[in-house]
């Protein structure tokens, strides 16, 4: 009875934590769309958002204010939310699937594939005056990289943790060399490629929101539905098979989910480091390793963290600092601090 009571208390605690983070997300969203060069009050920002969502008239508010909130700031903030959600859940998946707490969405080279695709599109646009969509190229090459990694890692007929990591490192190294070659070829125009690779949400539009939202939410729901199997997968293939889990099927499903999340997020935002590594690692240290809790809380906390980080880069710098630089700059030392201060295991 004590064990049942303890589980119930823990479940209630996790629900309260999730509700608290969700509340902070709503507050941060409303605050973020009202702050910037044009300061807009919290109540007015909330009124514009509610008016647009419910299709109520906003005749009492100036059109330029509505345009700034709804057309410029809201898509960027929402993209930050969904990118943070996607990268964090992908990190939680890969850390459990690969049995490595230092794994992140970029371990398998998916992000490098997206960066290569985007760099190639930017280069072709520069050299030949084309208008190739960077997002489409980034997403396409990310998915292609995932397929190549899966194909190489299945050399022995089954997917194993070691073969996936080795395949990701090999393909990622080749693509990194390709990116270096593209940057060299771009010459004086290399800044456009470098800026994208550093990770930013400056150019996010509603089209990016409509790409991210269904993909991220669907992938998170599927990941949560199979969370029990993912928990068992952490015991290793033999232990999982003994408990009736189809390890081959489960690993493939989660590989596709994690890679798709990484691909769609990186295709929109560029390469943003440490979010997918730090968020699930912190939740695992502070709360629980149960993926039934980790996956939804990683999504919420990662989304909140990304929104805050992007808003900081927007408000506290004269020039636009890529948010990927900020997450890496502060994420690395913070992760080291938590790692050394955390309990020894």
């Amino acid at each position: 009875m004590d064990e049942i009571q303890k589980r119930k208390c823990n479940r209630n605690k996790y629900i309260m934590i999730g509700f608290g983070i969700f509340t902070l997300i709503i507050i941060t969203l409303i605050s973020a769309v009202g702050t910037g060069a044009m300061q807009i009050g919290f109540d007015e920002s909330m009124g514009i958002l509610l008016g647009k969502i419910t299709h109520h008239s906003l005749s009492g508010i100036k059109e330029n204010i509505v345009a700034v909130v709804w057309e410029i700031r809201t898509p960027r903030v929402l993209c930050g939310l969904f990118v943070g959600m996607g990268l964090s859940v992908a990190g939680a998946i890969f850390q459990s699937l690969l049995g490595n707490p230092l794994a992140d969405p970029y371990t398998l080279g998916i992000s490098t594939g997206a960066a290569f695709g985007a760099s190639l599109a930017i280069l072709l646009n520069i050299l030949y005056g084309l208008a190739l969509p960077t997002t489409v190229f980034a997403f396409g090459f990310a998915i292609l990289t995932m397929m190549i990694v899966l194909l190489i890692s299945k050399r022995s007929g089954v997917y194993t943790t070691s073969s996936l990591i080795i395949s990701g490192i090999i393909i990622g190294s080749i693509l990194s060399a390709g990116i270096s070659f593209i940057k060299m070829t771009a010459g004086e125009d290399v800044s456009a490629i470098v800026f994208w690779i550093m990770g930013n949400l400056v150019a996010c539009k509603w089209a990016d929101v409509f790409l991210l939202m269904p993909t991220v939410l669907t992938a998170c729901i599927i990941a949560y539905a199979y969370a029990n199997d993912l928990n068992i997968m952490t015991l290793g293939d033999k232990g999982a098979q003994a408990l009736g889990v189809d390890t081959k099927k489960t690993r493939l499903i989660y590989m596709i989910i994690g890679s798709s999340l990484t691909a769609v997020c990186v295709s929109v935002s560029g390469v943003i480091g440490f979010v997918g590594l730090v968020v699930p690692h912190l939740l695992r240290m502070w709360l629980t390793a149960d993926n039934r809790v980790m996956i939804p809380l990683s999504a919420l906390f990662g989304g909140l963290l990304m929104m805050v980080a992007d808003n900081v880069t927007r408000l506290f710098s004269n020039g636009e600092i890529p948010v990927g630089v900020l997450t890496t700059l502060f994420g690395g030392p913070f992760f080291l601090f938590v790692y050394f201060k955390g309990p020894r295991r």
Side-chain angles (χ1 to χ4, degrees):
M1 189 66 181
D2 291 339
E3 185 65 26
I4 296 175
Q5 228 18 60
K6 183 179 179 181
R7 288 183 181 179
K8 186 177 180 180
C9 289
N10 284 337
R11 184 183 63 181
N12 292 337
K13 180 180 74 172
Y14 299 144
I15 290 173
M16 290 303 296
I17 291 173
F19 181 75
I21 298 175
F22 180 77
T23 303
L24 289 175
I25 287 175
I26 300 299
I27 295 173
T28 303
L29 169 64
I30 298 172
S31 300
V33 299
T35 54
M38 178 187 288
Q39 288 291 337
I40 302 168
F42 186 90
D43 292 340
E44 191 171 16
S45 299
M46 183 168 62
I48 293 172
L49 293 176
L50 289 175
K52 283 291 186 178
I53 293 172
T54 58
H55 302 289
H56 284 175
S57 174
L58 298 173
S59 56
I61 305 175
K62 295 181 180 179
E63 290 186 4
N64 63 325
I65 295 178
V66 175
V68 167
V69 170
W70 187 250
E71 300 296 337
I72 298 175
R73 294 178 182 172
T74 302
R76 176 171 178 168
V77 175
L78 288 177
C79 281
L81 170 64
F82 290 119
V83 166
M85 290 175 65
L87 293 178
S88 298
V89 171
I93 289 172
F94 287 130
Q95 287 177 15
S96 296
L97 196 64
L98 302 178
N100 187 343
L102 296 180
D104 69 356
Y106 307 134
T107 301
L108 301 180
I110 311 299
S111 67
T112 311
F116 179 84
S119 301
L120 181 62
I122 294 172
L123 177 65
L124 293 175
N125 290 341
I126 292 172
L127 295 180
Y128 302 106
L130 304 175
L132 299 175
T134 304
T135 302
V136 174
F137 265 65
F139 184 80
F141 273 86
I143 296 298
L144 180 61
T145 302
M146 177 196 71
M147 294 171 63
I148 294 173
V149 168
L150 289 174
L151 185 64
I152 295 174
S153 64
K154 201 183 177 183
R155 182 177 60 87
S156 60
V158 294
Y159 301 112
T160 63
T161 298
S162 59
S163 66
L164 286 168
I165 294 176
I166 292 171
S167 300
I169 291 173
I170 293 171
I171 299 302
S173 299
I174 295 172
L175 291 173
S176 293
I179 293 172
S180 298
F181 178 78
I182 289 175
K183 288 194 290 186
M184 181 188 70
T185 306
E188 295 180 356
D189 298 307
V190 70
S191 58
I193 297 174
V194 173
F195 187 72
W196 188 92
I197 290 176
M198 286 192 294
N200 67 86
L201 299 167
V202 176
C204 287
K205 305 297 182 185
W206 277 109
D208 298 312
V209 176
F210 295 139
L211 171 65
L212 283 167
M213 182 170 62
T215 306
V216 171
L217 292 180
T218 302
C220 289
I221 291 171
I222 296 173
Y224 179 76
Y226 287 89
N228 275 328
D229 288 347
L230 186 60
N231 285 336
I232 298 173
M233 287 287 291
T234 59
L235 300 175
D237 283 5
K238 291 183 179 180
Q241 289 170 0
L243 292 173
V245 174
D246 187 341
T247 56
K248 182 179 179 181
K249 176 184 174 183
T250 302
R251 182 176 283 111
L252 182 60
I253 288 173
Y254 272 107
M255 276 293 302
I256 293 173
I257 293 173
S259 298
S260 298
L261 282 171
T262 304
V264 72
C265 291
V266 174
S267 69
V268 170
S269 67
V271 180
I272 296 178
F274 273 94
V275 175
L277 171 63
V278 172
V279 170
H281 194 82
L282 290 181
L283 291 176
R284 188 177 292 105
M285 288 177 62
W286 291 343
L287 296 177
T288 178
D290 186 350
N291 284 290
R292 293 172 298 180
V293 177
M294 279 279 295
I295 288 174
L297 287 188
S298 291
L300 292 173
F301 186 44
L304 176 63
L305 178 65
M306 194 66 190
M307 290 170 66
V308 172
D310 183 57
N311 209 40
V312 168
T313 62
R314 205 161 49 87
L315 297 178
F316 295 99
S317 61
N318 294 326
E320 188 75 32
I321 299 175
V323 67
V325 174
L326 183 70
T327 57
T328 304
L329 183 64
F330 289 97
F334 179 70
F335 180 75
L336 287 175
F337 171 78
V338 172
Y339 180 76
F340 286 112
K341 285 289 185 181
R344 294 176 180 268
R345 286 183 174 87

